[in-house]
């Protein structure tokens, strides 16, 4: 196996994803809606979720057209959740990825609609004609994404988050909130990629363990960065969680404790991949290291 | 063919839909989210959209499990759109189906999340395991619903509506707005039902014509009722459109002109069905008559 250049791989994948998003998002949408959708999605974001989908699809030798669609679909779900989460009735944030948030730029009503339309378009992307992607894969992708986005996934986690402001949470409760709020969609990325190929049940279980560890690690690092990073690096307003009296891993475990937990989760994710029996897990490994080592 | 008792048919179908919605909506959702989702969906609404799905599925001899899931899914999309549409940043309505709107009862943040989660659950309902519904039908249903709900369907129509407040619209522009805002989802009901069976292309085209005429008729009648009905009959605040300076068919064509248009569309829908070559279009016919003859 030749040396793996992660930056080269990630750049090539990101170019493909950006092109697809540019070609697809909000095209044909009337009355300024398309502009708001594209503003929310294009030219921003680390594209971690699409890269996870593509890395998992690569690990299982999955259908490339399906994987690209799934990569874009999960990014649309992520983007819509940020648009709605930033609205005044939720986190009331005005800065995101270094730009005014969607409701600041387009008004609250358009932001609400843009988020709604992005969620619908995610499922549109997953269901092209059967000439492009087999129907069985389309159905599997929709099932995985809908569950991860909904009341027992991301939206449910946001509801727990909402209910927990100003409440003392145990580590178990905090973990449950994040397992849904951010973890479910990150885990879904890996499952979406796996669903693009013929993945044996044993490998699927291992990929799920990887996805769960990575999802939690992502949130722990997010909490750490909210304390240690500045707005320019972060691309959003730091210190918001503490200011809003939201429970965080740093509040619960201290800064050192949270950093140690992130390292422990990285080790779990890597160990899972080593047991997977999959041919090529190099991109998945590199992504896990990047999530824990990131500075924004 | 024996006499068709529409009330009997509709009551039986509605009972089945109510039971399924009661069994499925928001179950397992944490932190009050499930309650908000169920409040938005249960014990309210005429269930016109589910009945259209089931009537179309019956006309083509469609898969019953798929049709029931599609019927419920389209109702979740409809319900989520009402929740978001009623929010202060949109129509700011406080009364819906005779009850306080979701954001009044649960707060804006929970209403936003409940709407988001209902949209996701619609696609969850369409994608059970393949033992229950063939994967090809699942994929078709997701494709039809996503397109109808998204930027080139319902959400797009709402964006046009938003942009048109206080603007004079031609009849063509008004028709385009409603074709998307309410028509796309009503048309999708018929297509969803048809996708549950093996529907020949010619029959599909006819069902689409029926769905389009019915969708537009629904909106024309809505505009008429907004003028002539009272809050108790309507279950929501009447006269809102005129108060908000929204374009309506009554404003454009006068009350008589709008009522004549509704009758003309009903005739178109009925004529389409008579050409369809489908075995049993009695429920579809009765539903079109009900849409145009309704008082709320």
């Amino acid at each position: 196996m030749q040396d793996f250049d992660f930056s080269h791989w990630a750049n090539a994948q990101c170019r493909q994803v950006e092109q697809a998003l540019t070609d697809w998002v909000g095209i044909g949408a009337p009355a300024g809606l398309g502009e708001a959708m594209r503003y929310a999605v294009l030219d921003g974001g680390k594209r971690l979720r699409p890269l996870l989908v593509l890395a998992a699809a690569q690990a299982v030798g999955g259908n490339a057209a399906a994987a690209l669609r799934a990569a874009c679909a999960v990014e649309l779900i992520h983007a819509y959740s940020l648009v709605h989460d930033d609205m005044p009735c939720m986190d009331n944030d005005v800065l995101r990825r270094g730009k005014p948030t969607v409701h600041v730029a387009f008004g609250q009503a358009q932001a609400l609609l843009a988020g709604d339309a992005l969620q619908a378009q995610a499922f549109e992307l997953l269901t092209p004609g059967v000439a492009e992607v087999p129907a069985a894969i389309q159905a599997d992708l929709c099932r995985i994404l809908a569950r991860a986005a909904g009341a027992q996934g991301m939206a449910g986690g946001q509801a727990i988050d909402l209910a927990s402001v100003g409440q003392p949470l145990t580590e178990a409760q905090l973990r449950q909130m994040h397992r849904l709020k951010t973890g479910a969609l990150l885990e879904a990325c890996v499952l979406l990629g796996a669903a693009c190929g013929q993945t044996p049940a044993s490998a699927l279980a291992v990929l799920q363990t990887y996805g769960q560890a990575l999802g939690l690690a992502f949130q722990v690092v997010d909490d750490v960065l909210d304390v240690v990073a500045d707005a320019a690096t972060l691309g959003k307003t730091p210190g918001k969680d503490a200011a809003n009296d939201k429970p965080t891993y740093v509040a619960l475990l201290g800064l050192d404790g949270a950093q140690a937990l992130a390292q422990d989760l990285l080790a779990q994710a890597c160990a899972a991949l080593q047991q997977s029996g999959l041919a090529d897990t190099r991109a998945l490994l590199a992504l896990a290291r990047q999530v824990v080592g990131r500075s924004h």
Side-chain angles (χ1 to χ4, degrees), chain A residues 51-90:
Chain A
L51 289 174
L52 277 169
V53 174
L54 296 170
Q58 179 169 306
V60 304
N63 178 309
L68 181 58
R69 286 177 174 275
C72 292
V74 80
E75 191 69 3
L76 296 199
I77 294 290
H78 175 56
Y80 112 70
S81 79
L82 297 181
V83 174
H84 283 182
D85 207 39
D86 286 338
M87 285 181 68
C89 68
M90 298 284 286

Side-chain angles (χ1 to χ4, degrees), chain A residues 15-110:
Chain A
R15 273 196 301 277
Q16 194 188 16
V17 168
E18 293 301 330
Q19 187 62 54
L21 290 171
T22 302
D23 290 346
W24 288 335
V25 176
I27 299 295
L33 180 61
E35 288 74 6
M37 293 169 72
R38 293 170 73 81
Y39 182 89
V41 173
L42 301 179
D43 288 326
K46 299 175 288 288
R47 309 305 186 204
L48 169 63
R49 290 160 192 78
L51 289 174
L52 277 169
V53 174
L54 296 170
Q58 179 169 306
V60 304
N63 178 309
L68 181 58
R69 286 177 174 275
C72 292
V74 80
E75 191 69 3
L76 296 199
I77 294 290
H78 175 56
Y80 112 70
S81 79
L82 297 181
V83 174
H84 283 182
D85 207 39
D86 286 338
M87 285 181 68
C89 68
M90 298 284 286
D91 282 356
N92 194 21
D93 222 323
V94 297
L95 186 65
R96 165 76 65 185
R97 294 173 179 167
K99 301 189 299 185
T101 47
V102 176
H103 69 272
V104 170
F106 294 86
Q108 286 189 55
Q110 195 74 290

Side-chain angles (χ1 to χ4, degrees), chain A residues 107-218:
Chain A
Q108 286 189 55
Q110 195 74 290
L112 180 58
L113 287 179
D116 290 344
L118 287 170
Q119 179 164 204
Q121 197 178 3
F123 293 97
E124 268 190 271
L125 290 185
L126 296 182
T127 51
V130 290
E132 194 162 352
V133 176
I137 292 181
Q138 294 185 32
D140 286 347
L141 295 177
C142 287
R143 182 181 311 115
I144 293 164
L145 190 62
R147 288 181 187 179
Q152 297 188 61
M154 186 181 74
Q158 287 176 306
I160 298 176
D161 194 12
L162 202 65
S164 72
V165 173
Q167 302 283 323
L169 293 190
T170 65
E171 188 187 339
Q173 291 168 322
L174 189 64
R175 192 181 281 241
Q176 167 67 356
M177 175 180 93
H178 290 309
R179 194 181 64 76
L180 299 180
K181 189 183 171 199
T182 51
L185 200 60
L186 288 165
E187 183 187 337
C189 293
V190 182
L191 300 179
L192 289 165
C196 295
Q198 304 286 339
T199 309
S202 60
L204 195 62
V206 160
L207 285 171
Q208 193 160 17
T209 301
Y210 164 89
Q212 286 169 356
L214 180 118
L216 188 54
F218 182 87

